[in-house]
């Protein structure tokens, strides 16, 4: 596991990158997976990474596992890559926005 200072910085970076609340993310994951024929159980909705982000949002920093830390780094890196002006999706790019929202980041939110 990472040291305390690095974990504190990651915790802050992760919560800055994930700008949706756990309730918003859970609702988005359910809506994203619902179709006219079936809707998954709430705890099974969304991608595995989206579910993992949701679980991390519901944890205390002291309860993080090594797997949580790996997912947090991946989410922070993914959102940071989108912040690069060359990679930033246009407001009309709904696919890119939806992909980011799956990990808890709404690019249209300040």
């Amino acid at each position: 596991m990472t040291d305390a200072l690095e974990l504190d910085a990651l915790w802050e970076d992760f919560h800055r990158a994930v700008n949706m609340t756990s309730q918003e993310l859970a609702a988005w994951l359910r809506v994203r997976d619902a179709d006219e024929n079936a809707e998954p159980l709430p705890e099974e909705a969304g991608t595995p990474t989206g579910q993992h982000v949701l679980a991390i949002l519901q944890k205390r920093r002291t309860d993080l596992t090594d797997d949580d830390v790996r997912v947090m780094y991946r989410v922070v890196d993914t959102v940071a890559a989108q912040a690069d002006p060359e990679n930033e999706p246009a407001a009309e790019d709904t696919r890119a926005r939806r992909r980011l929202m799956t990990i808890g980041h709404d690019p249209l939110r300040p």
Side-chain angles (χ1 to χ4, degrees), residues 33-39:
D33 275 6
D35 65 21
E36 57 190 51
N37 296 324
E39 184 172 335

Side-chain angles (χ1 to χ4, degrees), residues 46-66:
T47 64
T49 302
Q51 283 296 321
H52 202 144
V53 169
L54 185 59
I56 292 168
L57 288 174
Q58 298 168 342
K59 288 185 174 188
R60 296 177 303 179
R61 185 179 338 198
T62 56
D63 296 333
L64 296 174
T65 65
D66 288 341

